[in-house]
Amino acid sequence: MSDMIDFATGAPGIGSRWTSSAKSGVGTALSVASPVWFTLSHGILNEIYYPRVDSACTRDFGFLVTGPDGYFSEEKRDCEQETTPLEDGVPAFSIVNTALDGAYRIRKQIISDPARAVVLQRISFSALKGRTRDYRVTALLAPHLVNAGASNSAWIGEFEGAPALFASGRSRYLALVSSAPWRAMSAGFVGTSDGWQQLSRHGRLVDQYQRADDGNVALAGEIDFSGGDGSVVLALGFGQTEHEAAAVATRSLKDGFDHALDKFITGWRKWQDGLVPLDRKAEDGINAYRVSTAVLATHRASDRPGAAVASLSIPWGYSKGDDDLGGYHLVWPRDLVETAGGFLAAGDAKAALAILDYLRELQQPSGRWAQNFWLDGKPYWPGVQMDECAFPILLADMLRRQGHLNGKTIRRFMPMIKSAAGYILANGPSTGEDRWEEDGGYSPFTLAVEITALLAAADILEAEGETKAAHHLRETADCWNEQIEKWTFEGDPDLCRSLDIAGYYVRIAAPGATDAAGPAGETPIRNQTPDRSIMASDAVISPDALALVRFGLRAADDPHIVDTVKAIDHTLRMELPQGPLWYRYTGDGYGEHEDGRAFDGIGRGRPWPLLAGERAHYELAAGRTDAAKALLETFEKSANAGGLLPEQSWDGPDMPDRELYFGRPSGSAMPLVWAHSEHIKLLRSLADGAVFDMPPQGRARYIEKQTASKIRIWRFDNRLATIPAGKKLRIELADAATIHWSADGWSTVKDIKTKPSGLGTHFADLPLKGVEPGHAVVFTFFWPESGQWENVDFTVRVGEQVDRQLETEF
């Protein structure tokens, strides 16, 4: 290294950025000894994660080719790329990059070593014009250790007498070693002294810098392809020290690429062979089922059973820097339960049980789960989403009903189930944020999940002998279910007349006390310019209402549902080359700008393939199997060439310069694990002839028996002002109390003590029989623990008697 220059110039380099979220492949070895995950896009490696699936350590790792007369080519920009898995269901990949000008071809095979934290590439280079020796091929690696590109260091060093390229950041290290000699090596700062700058200007590494510290750095190494069979193996190792990183990379080289490949494929074959055979080959030869199962398994943590991130991508990553630490490589409880459902549908109950156990461990003392979090449970965003509090209960119930939870096993989860149900009881039915993480209030989707979770928890508690708590949960579910239409069924009069419908379920109604809440008023539209940031609530439609059918609360042919489907299709359906997809809701702003620029907090929402899967499940529930099968085809055709499903599809004119094509994946997350889970569940549902994950409790209680509610619930955070005649007034409190009350203006007074619900709350029912409409009940509280009175009177007025049928009419 005598020809090297001590320190690179141009510190700290330009601002760091992530890279494309349009992955063409994601992979990992099914081995706890190999805590490394890799992603592919544009024919090169992108983010590589180590030592956990939530910790990105690189931006990208590709090759630059230079040659005579100032020839300069970057394979990720200047090649036609073809990425294919080596075998169905095995995320080991072959990549062929052919220069668009016909000058060269690079072939790669990429895996991770099952025995250690190393990503291996076997590479061959061939000249299609001229001679191979006329070209220089240089590896360019951009470290981002860990989840950030700033404050990294890169340097050239040695390990066991052989040169190696090193980088570090946030106490993590990587080392790149080669089976062939390096002709030249350099560390530099991105945008100023890195290898790209040198090669684009000079065609070679004229300045070989030994170190670049504390900045946005890159490593470059020119590869000597002259020896052997013309192929070279590069090993990128990771560790807690530079010695460890170099040692594991060197050991992988010594063991050989073929040895690692054999172990890699064997591990994946063994897991795939144990799954339910739902295989289907698409027209392009892709086995979509095996792609989806591999995607689910690739996103799991190796050291924390049950943990899985939402996507190994950062949506519109090329426009984002270190201020977006998490991207989608975080845990969302909702996505995680959906992932568990995918595993269960595929026949891997062990993986679903591990997810439930992981959620049990990370439940907060209040009974809820954080909106999203790192693998260790540290919250990332602070929102409260009631569906995420309910989904783990539904997972426990599904496992129980399928015979995977019983006896001692289910008792391990009883505290989790009771605590979660108690949180829903004390804080629902309004949610702080809907499932799209944007608005609070009464969402049909969230209501469906909450109510069904209460019924599921009741079944579990009753089976364990807690009949009083189970009865309490069912009464609460009945109360909320009876008011769904009051809260969320409305309709813009002009639209309803034009479609000849009575109304539709709105996307969300504003939060408020349950007697006053309804779909009138305004809904904030996030991610929009100020002039488009507010809409009338009765004008905002969403496919979310189909959850009322998916979770069994309403029949598929319920007139309210049928009318809503007409409104959804009129407003949100988009015909694309692969078939119809749907938008999330009216006025959605989460997507690229009209001109294709990346979403930057403002944009326009694009259609979601996931919603085609949800719609297919609705069609299956309605008995229209052929329609469901057609939507399965649409769902699968929304994937990219490798079978990966995107979060959104582009719905505008082709923009080749932005890589946006009508009907193809947009710049949002890809793959979206939630979408692949929905795909697996849809395949299973079609095979079974019934919706795989539909809980039976709601259908039995509300569709078949048409159970009505006898109560309305008053809480300090839900202070009813009115109650229909004929209903009991339930007072639900956090602490025990004596309720001092009167139905005749304190002329006569009654006292009633609350009793524990068994779920963390205390309650009492005030019998209002005989209290005429228009009269009021007045009450206050004595708190025995403190020996104090509340010293405030609360009033609830009795209204007209309204039966359920009238309540649900528009």
Side-chain angles (χ1 to χ4, degrees):
M1 294 190 294
S2 58
D3 294 333
M4 283 197 158
I5 303 168
D6 289 349
F7 299 108
T9 59
I14 62 174
S16 59
R17 288 289 181 269
W18 292 103
T19 189
S20 173
S21 58
K23 307 306 179 189
S24 54
V26 292
T28 189
L30 289 183
S31 167
V32 295
S34 180
V36 62
W37 298 257
F38 62 87
T39 68
L40 308 173
S41 177
H42 296 80
I44 68 170
L45 282 161
N46 289 157
E47 295 97 352
I48 300 172
Y49 295 78
Y50 165 85
R52 313 193 87 179
V53 72
D54 61 355
S55 303
C57 290
T58 66
R59 179 187 188 273
D60 57 16
F61 179 11
F63 298 94
L64 303 175
V65 179
T66 55
D69 302 320
Y71 183 81
F72 174 86
S73 179
E74 186 172 9
E75 63 168 343
K76 72 178 181 181
R77 290 188 174 92
D78 302 323
C79 287
E80 179 181 340
Q81 294 115 8
E82 181 182 1
T83 301
T84 55
L86 298 183
E87 186 175 308
D88 283 347
V90 178
F93 298 93
S94 169
I95 299 176
V96 179
N97 292 332
T98 304
L100 295 172
D101 59 12
Y104 66 88
R105 179 174 292 129
I106 296 175
R107 297 181 183 272
K108 309 177 188 178
Q109 288 182 319
I110 300 179
I111 59 170
S112 53
D113 186 343
R116 49 190 69 88
V118 178
V119 174
L120 293 169
Q121 294 187 83
R122 180 156 58 192
I123 308 141
S124 65
F125 174 84
S126 56
L128 304 180
K129 291 181 180 179
R131 299 166 300 179
T132 296
R133 65 172 181 253
D134 293 334
Y135 296 91
R136 297 175 184 267
V137 182
T138 303
L140 186 66
L141 170 62
H144 271 48
L145 295 144
V146 173
N147 288 327
S151 301
N152 279 226
S153 292
W155 67 97
I156 309 302
E158 289 185 356
F159 180 76
E160 295 182 349
L165 290 74
F166 293 93
S168 68
R170 293 160 187 80
S171 301
R172 296 290 184 269
Y173 294 79
L174 63 78
L176 177 62
V177 299
S178 172
S179 64
W182 299 105
R183 287 179 168 174
M185 298 176 290
S186 183
F189 294 102
V190 175
T192 57
S193 56
D194 65 283
W196 195 97
Q197 300 297 324
Q198 294 197 53
L199 290 163
S200 64
R201 294 168 186 165
H202 310 293
R204 63 187 181 89
L205 297 174
V206 293
D207 294 318
Q208 298 185 54
Y209 298 108
Q210 201 268 334
R211 294 197 68 94
D213 290 307
D214 301 322
N216 181 14
V217 300
L219 287 160
E222 184 185 336
I223 303 168
D224 184 352
F225 278 99
S226 62
D229 60 0
S231 69
V232 172
V233 176
L234 297 183
L236 181 61
F238 296 85
Q240 307 297 319
T241 67
E242 67 271 38
H243 183 278
E244 180 184 352
V248 295
T250 301
R251 182 60 186 269
S252 285
L253 283 186
K254 290 179 178 178
D255 285 353
F257 187 92
D258 287 331
H259 175 79
L261 178 61
D262 179 66
K263 297 293 184 183
F264 187 98
I265 291 176
T266 298
W268 275 96
R269 280 180 183 166
K270 181 179 179 181
W271 181 72
Q272 292 278 5
D273 287 348
L275 301 181
V276 175
L278 299 171
D279 301 74
R280 49 183 281 116
K281 287 271 189 177
E283 293 177 2
D284 57 6
I286 295 291
N287 188 329
Y289 172 59
R290 296 297 171 176
V291 172
S292 286
T293 53
V295 166
L296 263 62
T298 296
H299 284 75
R300 294 185 296 186
S302 63
D303 65 336
R304 190 69 186 268
V309 297
S311 178
L312 288 170
S313 70
I314 300 168
W316 302 284
Y318 52 84
S319 68
K320 297 180 179 180
D322 292 354
D323 55 340
D324 193 335
L325 293 177
Y328 275 16
H329 47 271
L330 296 158
V331 179
W332 272 263
R334 172 182 46 256
D335 293 56
L336 189 57
V337 171
E338 298 284 7
T339 299
F343 278 122
L344 197 55
D348 191 346
K350 182 179 178 181
L353 275 166
I355 287 173
L356 187 65
D357 225 4
Y358 173 74
L359 287 166
R360 179 185 63 83
E361 293 173 4
L362 293 187
Q363 186 179 29
Q364 296 184 342
S366 65
R368 75 178 184 95
W369 283 265
Q371 178 181 357
N372 55 14
F373 43 85
W374 300 101
L375 291 189
D376 61 6
K378 182 181 178 181
Y380 187 67
W381 288 343
V384 177
Q385 298 176 13
M386 295 302 294
D387 67 320
E388 293 196 317
C389 305
F391 264 118
I393 298 175
L394 295 181
L395 174 57
D397 182 58
M398 186 160 57
L399 286 163
R400 177 189 67 87
R401 287 185 284 104
Q402 295 192 17
H404 304 297
L405 272 185
N406 47 57
K408 292 181 180 179
T409 309
I410 199 166
R411 293 189 190 105
R412 185 167 84 248
F413 296 99
M414 287 299 292
M416 180 201 83
I417 294 166
K418 288 181 66 176
S419 183
Y423 187 87
I424 297 168
L425 193 76
N427 295 277
S430 179
T431 183
E433 291 181 355
D434 64 349
R435 72 162 171 168
W436 305 122
E437 309 187 289
E438 293 178 1
D439 291 311
Y442 294 83
S443 155
F445 183 93
T446 303
L447 290 168
V449 182
E450 287 178 297
I451 292 166
T452 309
L454 293 182
L455 296 178
D459 281 2
I460 296 171
L461 267 59
E462 188 170 66
E464 293 300 309
E466 299 192 36
T467 56
K468 290 183 179 179
H471 182 68
H472 191 81
L473 289 175
R474 291 190 182 110
E475 287 188 319
T476 302
D478 295 346
C479 176
W480 293 354
N481 178 72
E482 192 171 77
Q483 299 176 86
I484 289 174
E485 282 72 24
K486 173 185 176 295
W487 293 328
T488 65
F489 193 81
E490 189 57 71
D492 174 76
D494 293 335
L495 179 59
C496 290
R497 278 193 295 271
S498 69
L499 298 178
D500 191 25
I501 60 176
Y504 45 79
Y505 294 98
V506 302
R507 176 199 162 207
I508 197 164
T514 53
D515 63 322
E522 296 179 329
T523 293
I525 305 297
R526 311 296 177 184
N527 308 316
Q528 282 289 13
T529 54
D531 60 311
R532 302 171 65 185
S533 63
I534 295 290
M535 290 184 67
S537 295
D538 65 3
V540 185
I541 303 171
S542 172
D544 288 1
L546 298 185
L548 296 170
V549 177
R550 180 72 171 265
F551 292 94
L553 303 187
R554 299 293 182 270
D557 60 356
D558 184 299
H560 296 92
I561 294 292
V562 173
D563 281 355
T564 300
V565 169
K566 291 179 181 177
I568 289 169
D569 285 349
H570 174 79
T571 309
L572 302 174
R573 178 174 169 140
M574 177 66 185
E575 292 295 334
L576 296 172
Q578 65 267 40
L581 296 183
W582 285 262
Y583 299 97
R584 296 193 304 172
Y585 57 82
T586 315
D588 184 13
Y590 183 57
E592 285 93 347
H593 290 264
E594 293 288 355
D595 62 3
R597 284 180 295 122
F599 171 75
D600 55 6
I602 295 173
R604 190 174 80 78
R606 309 293 166 177
W608 285 52
L610 165 72
L611 297 177
E614 292 188 352
R615 178 59 174 266
H617 272 109
Y618 165 73
E619 297 296 339
L620 184 61
R624 295 185 286 269
T625 303
D626 287 345
K629 289 180 177 178
L631 284 167
L632 171 62
E633 294 280 350
T634 297
F635 198 5
E636 292 180 345
K637 288 179 180 178
S638 298
N640 71 357
L644 300 184
L645 290 164
E647 182 179 61
Q648 301 177 43
S649 296
W650 179 245
D651 58 350
D654 290 354
M655 297 183 180
D657 58 324
R658 296 190 184 275
E659 299 184 351
L660 295 171
Y661 299 91
F662 186 55
R664 308 312 304 147
S666 75
S668 55
M670 185 169 67
L672 184 66
V673 178
W674 182 5
H676 284 279
S677 300
E678 182 72 3
H679 174 241
I680 295 169
K681 287 189 282 186
L682 181 55
L683 290 172
R684 179 63 182 270
S685 296
L686 287 167
D688 293 349
V691 177
F692 172 75
D693 58 355
M694 180 185 287
Q697 294 90 345
R699 183 171 186 83
R701 195 167 184 86
Y702 303 128
I703 298 175
E704 296 171 4
K705 296 181 180 178
Q706 296 189 349
T707 304
S709 175
K710 299 176 181 179
I711 65 170
R712 290 293 184 267
I713 303 167
W714 187 100
R715 301 191 311 247
F716 271 99
D717 61 349
N718 183 52
R719 300 184 187 188
L720 301 179
T722 61
I723 183 173
K727 304 288 187 184
K728 293 180 181 179
L729 178 60
R730 172 161 292 176
I731 310 293
E732 190 124 30
L733 305 169
D735 300 298
T738 297
I739 303 173
H740 190 65
W741 69 286
S742 173
D744 56 12
W746 297 118
S747 294
T748 58
V749 178
K750 299 177 182 179
D751 286 337
I752 183 171
K753 292 183 178 180
T754 61
K755 52 187 176 182
S757 67
L759 298 150
T761 62
H762 301 261
F763 76 101
D765 292 340
L766 307 187
L768 304 184
K769 187 176 181 180
V771 180
E772 296 295 325
H775 290 229
V777 58
V778 186
F779 54 93
T780 190
F781 305 103
F782 176 74
W783 305 102
E785 187 171 336
S786 64
Q788 295 180 333
W789 286 90
E790 183 67 23
N791 290 324
V792 176
D793 289 347
F794 303 95
T795 301
V796 177
R797 189 167 300 278
V798 177
E800 298 295 330
Q801 186 166 2
V802 181
D803 62 26
R804 184 183 183 278
Q805 182 62 35
L806 290 176
E807 275 193 342
T808 60
E809 291 297 325
F810 173 62

